Amino acid sequence: MSQTIVLPGDRLYLPESSFVTLGPGIASSSRSGNSTSDSLIFIATKLGVLSSVKGKEKARIWVETRSKRYIPAQKDLVIGTIIARHADGYRVDIGSAQMAQLDALAFESATKRSKPNLKIGTLVYGRVTLANRDMDPEIECFDPSTGKSEGFGELKEGLMVECSLQLCRQLLKPKYPLLLALASQVKFEIAIGLNGRIWLKASSVGETIALKRVIAGVNEGKVKVEKDEIVKLVKEYLA
């Protein structure tokens, strides 16, 4: 799908046979009144650029905007901070207007007798499972199709960087050069949240801080996303 600028209320037509996941800025609508049409109708809810990523079986579409506040969308990957505990789970700050709910059983191998014991302030990596305008969002920290964590769950140690929503989406694209350039110099773990948060962990505190400084520079527009410049900066920060 070619990128086009859309306005709130614009209708977006996709073939009925397409399997798509709707991202931020797009809402589903009723079927067209034209009986000869085989299309489902989707409505743009934001001003921005219509973007898409095609997978092997499904495609994901969303409206890329310059919004600073994160609005939860189903299946979004997010990084959150535990801010409260209750009998059935946790309340998590994911940067949206409402706090997210995280069930204590929404972890790998969690049972009523064996639940994770997360402290306030703990970082977690999860997926949004419920995102309705009039309800608190809900997240989970495991892959329900496998029952395994698949990288979700508590994020231990490391550092979190707050970035623009646009940069986080760019980093999830395989061809975006920033992470490839960083990985050529330092081995590290990373979790990218579509809510404008990135978690990093390298083998040493110094390397982790160097990675954070480079990403923060790119986010602020002070560093160009070019391999030579990024490699040079990493070496300078590690010197």
Side-chain angles (χ1 to χ4, degrees), residues 130-145:
L130 178 66
N132 292 336
R133 184 176 61 180
D134 300 321
M135 299 175 63
D136 289 342
E138 296 180 7
I139 64 174
E140 62 185 6
C141 291
F142 75 111
D143 187 337
S145 63

Side-chain angles (χ1 to χ4, degrees), residues 24-212:
I26 300 178
S28 59
S29 182
S30 59
R31 186 184 297 272
S32 172
N34 185 352
S35 60
T36 62
S37 174
D38 292 329
S39 297
L40 294 176
I41 300 176
F42 302 97
I43 303 295
T45 60
K46 297 179 180 179
L47 166 65
V49 177
L50 183 64
S51 305
S52 67
V53 173
K54 294 182 179 180
K56 293 181 180 180
E57 298 180 355
K58 294 185 178 182
R60 179 177 175 85
I61 60 173
W62 71 93
V63 176
E64 191 73 65
T65 68
R66 294 193 175 275
S67 173
K68 294 183 178 180
R69 167 170 285 183
Y70 171 66
I71 299 176
Q74 195 169 13
K75 297 187 178 181
D76 270 2
L77 307 179
V78 295
I79 295 175
T81 304
I82 304 292
I83 61 168
R85 302 171 55 175
H86 51 79
D88 297 322
Y90 307 90
R91 287 178 62 78
V92 184
D93 173 18
I94 59 172
S96 61
Q98 294 117 340
M99 299 298 106
Q101 300 291 340
L102 173 59
D103 195 295
L105 299 179
F107 293 83
E108 178 183 0
S109 304
T111 65
K112 291 184 178 180
R113 294 186 178 183
S114 177
K115 303 176 185 178
N117 184 22
L118 303 180
K119 298 180 180 179
I120 293 177
T122 298
L123 293 178
V124 292
Y125 190 43
R127 179 192 290 110
V128 177
T129 57
L130 178 66
N132 292 336
R133 184 176 61 180
D134 300 321
M135 299 175 63
D136 289 342
E138 296 180 7
I139 64 174
E140 62 185 6
C141 291
F142 75 111
D143 187 337
S145 63
T146 63
K148 302 296 183 179
S149 63
E150 304 293 351
F152 296 116
E154 181 181 358
L155 297 174
K156 300 179 180 179
E157 302 177 345
L159 293 173
M160 186 179 76
V161 189
E162 293 193 4
C163 299
S164 67
L165 304 181
Q166 293 74 30
L167 178 58
C168 289
R169 292 193 181 279
Q170 290 289 335
L171 289 173
L172 289 174
K173 295 181 179 179
K175 296 183 179 180
Y176 194 68
L178 177 56
L179 295 184
L180 295 175
L182 293 176
S184 70
Q185 302 300 307
V186 179
K187 294 182 179 180
F188 61 94
E189 298 177 50
I190 187 169
I192 302 170
L194 292 174
N195 56 334
R197 297 175 181 178
I198 299 171
W199 173 86
L200 298 160
K201 180 183 177 183
S203 57
S204 69
V205 175
E207 289 179 342
T208 304
I209 293 175
L211 295 174
K212 178 179 179 179

